[in-house]
Amino acid sequence: MNKEETVKKMIANSQPSEEKFTQLAKKVRRRRWIGAVILIVSVCIVTVGILNYKEARLSVKPPITLLKQGINNGQTITRVCYSLGFKQVTYASEYGRNYSRILWPWEEVDPNPEVLTPLQYDQLMEQMKSQYEKKHPNRSVTKDYFNTFQTFEAAILEVEKNGNQYRIYMTGMLYSFFEYGDSVYTGIQGEPESQADENRENQHQPFIVTADWDGKNMKIKELEEFQLGDGESAGIWEKFPEPAAVKINTSLKGEENIKKWAAERSKQKAAAHFGKTIAESTYVAFDSDTKKLQLYQIVPDIWDAKEGRVPQENDKLIKEEKLKKEE
């Protein structure tokens, strides 16, 4: 065999090895491509899951909801939203649990949380009013010039029961009303009712009440007051259930405004007390120095779309008089 034939034979013998190497390289590239795709998909799923979880903590419903269930036991409405790796439970009740929380899939949902009866609530509010008035005497000028009415109303966040003892977590405030003419008013701030209601919502104060129930009467044993604010809310995070503390200190997207429920109850009681309706289209302004009262009719503010000006006050003065102190 000459040299040329030897070279041809070596080339011929090397071709299968080159094909095997090429096939092996293709398999390696395919595996790398599949691995990269799996990695990218995994990162996307984890990222979406984290963002979905973070957004759920700011809302009462996760952005990605796979299944929804509702439970209504006649006292509390419980909504369960199943999402990516967790479930979000939202409770709504007139006199019981009112908050949203996130649970892991294996954690159980409480379908029957503790609640107060209307009688227990009313008795509790009467005692709250009495204790609150002692600690915070009413210095408003309305009591000197008008027939007034006050009621304490609360937004209940959680109720815990141990035998005949209750521990109630809530926010509340003392609502004040007075009558003038044919209507009942909630204040002399010189502002429409809608704005007054918003301001009152910000005045709600957190409380923890420990009370005993003997079957007929609810009696407060201990009352803890808390303050809002960055420097004063540490006690709320320490003593309130975490979901309740979150609701007190933050505003969740889509949550029920239970403070408005408290405000509506106060208005119903005031209207029943005076036998008159709550003013909606009028409000009063009062100067305690001159003793002059002004009654205004609410007129929609003027808005100039072309000029883009701020709405102008357009309310109409319909009555003005000087008041004398109530004897």
Side-chain angles (χ1 to χ4, degrees):
M1 182 181 295
N2 58 31
K3 186 177 181 179
E4 183 177 351
E5 290 177 347
T6 302
V7 172
K8 288 181 178 179
K9 188 175 181 180
M10 291 176 63
I11 294 173
N13 291 335
S14 68
Q15 284 178 349
S17 298
E18 290 180 357
E19 290 178 1
K20 289 180 180 178
F21 179 79
T22 301
Q23 291 176 359
L24 179 61
K26 287 181 178 179
K27 288 181 179 180
V28 171
R29 286 196 296 269
R30 187 181 299 112
R31 288 174 181 173
R32 287 179 177 175
W33 182 82
I34 293 174
V37 170
I38 293 175
L39 179 61
I40 292 172
V41 171
S42 299
V43 170
C44 289
I45 292 175
V46 171
T47 302
V48 170
I50 292 174
L51 293 176
N52 181 59
Y53 181 81
K54 287 184 176 180
E55 186 64 25
R57 292 179 66 86
L58 303 175
S59 176
V60 297
K61 179 183 176 183
I64 300 175
T65 300
L66 305 177
L67 176 66
K68 288 194 297 184
Q69 289 184 344
I71 305 170
N72 187 347
N73 66 1
Q75 296 176 319
T76 305
I77 298 174
T78 305
R79 186 184 68 188
V80 185
C81 295
Y82 295 86
S83 190
L84 301 176
F86 66 91
K87 55 191 175 186
Q88 189 160 9
V89 187
T90 302
Y91 300 95
S93 174
E94 181 74 11
Y95 304 118
R97 183 176 297 175
N98 283 286
Y99 57 65
S100 176
R101 68 178 307 181
I102 293 175
L103 299 176
W104 297 117
W106 57 85
E107 292 185 282
E108 294 184 0
V109 176
D110 184 0
N112 297 299
E114 290 291 344
V115 299
L116 299 176
T117 66
L119 175 61
Q120 290 174 327
Y121 173 83
D122 286 337
Q123 290 182 350
L124 188 66
M125 292 303 104
E126 281 295 323
Q127 294 172 70
M128 286 294 297
K129 173 189 171 184
S130 177
Q131 295 200 27
Y132 193 82
E133 285 178 332
K134 289 178 182 177
K135 292 185 177 181
H136 308 277
N138 181 16
R139 297 183 176 87
S140 173
V141 297
T142 55
K143 61 185 178 61
D144 294 328
Y145 296 91
F146 303 92
N147 292 325
T148 61
F149 171 79
Q150 289 185 312
T151 177
F152 195 99
E153 300 298 331
I156 308 297
L157 297 172
E158 177 70 294
V159 176
E160 296 174 352
K161 183 182 177 183
N162 183 10
N164 291 327
Q165 187 174 86
Y166 287 77
R167 188 170 173 84
I168 303 112
Y169 303 86
M170 65 186 189
T171 67
M173 64 170 289
L174 193 67
Y175 290 83
S176 298
F177 299 85
F178 66 94
E179 65 173 342
Y180 179 72
D182 296 327
S183 301
V184 178
Y185 296 86
T186 58
I188 303 187
Q189 298 91 341
E191 57 191 9
E193 286 301 303
S194 58
Q195 185 62 44
D197 285 343
E198 291 181 10
N199 291 338
R200 277 187 288 274
E201 287 178 18
N202 297 328
Q203 297 171 18
H204 262 236
Q205 183 179 353
F207 297 90
I208 297 179
V209 179
T210 302
D212 288 339
W213 170 251
D214 65 5
K216 294 182 178 180
N217 299 291
M218 180 76 86
K219 186 176 181 180
I220 293 179
K221 291 294 185 181
E222 184 180 357
L223 174 63
E224 298 178 74
E225 295 186 30
F226 299 84
Q227 300 297 326
L228 296 173
D230 296 337
E232 300 177 330
S233 61
I236 297 174
W237 292 105
E238 179 183 346
K239 294 193 174 183
F240 277 70
E242 183 181 354
V246 169
K247 185 155 188 174
I248 290 173
N249 289 287
T250 63
S251 178
L252 300 181
K253 193 186 304 179
E255 71 177 351
E256 289 280 355
N257 187 350
I258 58 176
K259 293 178 183 178
K260 285 191 175 180
W261 300 354
E264 285 304 313
R265 287 194 291 268
S266 72
K267 290 180 180 180
Q268 292 171 9
K269 291 180 180 179
H273 174 80
F274 290 114
K276 299 178 180 180
T277 59
I278 303 294
E280 294 182 352
S281 60
T282 60
Y283 65 91
V284 297
F286 180 68
D287 188 325
S288 59
D289 294 328
T290 63
K291 312 298 185 296
K292 185 181 293 185
L293 177 143
Q294 294 175 315
L295 179 65
Y296 286 90
Q297 178 77 39
I298 297 176
V299 179
D301 292 324
I302 299 172
W303 176 263
D304 191 327
K306 293 181 180 180
E307 296 293 334
R309 290 198 299 265
V310 176
Q312 301 170 353
E313 291 295 334
N314 198 37
D315 298 333
K316 182 180 179 182
L317 177 63
I318 56 177
K319 187 176 181 180
E320 188 173 20
E321 67 171 313
K322 194 169 184 178
L323 299 182
K324 294 181 180 180
K325 285 190 176 183
E326 288 283 323
E327 296 181 1

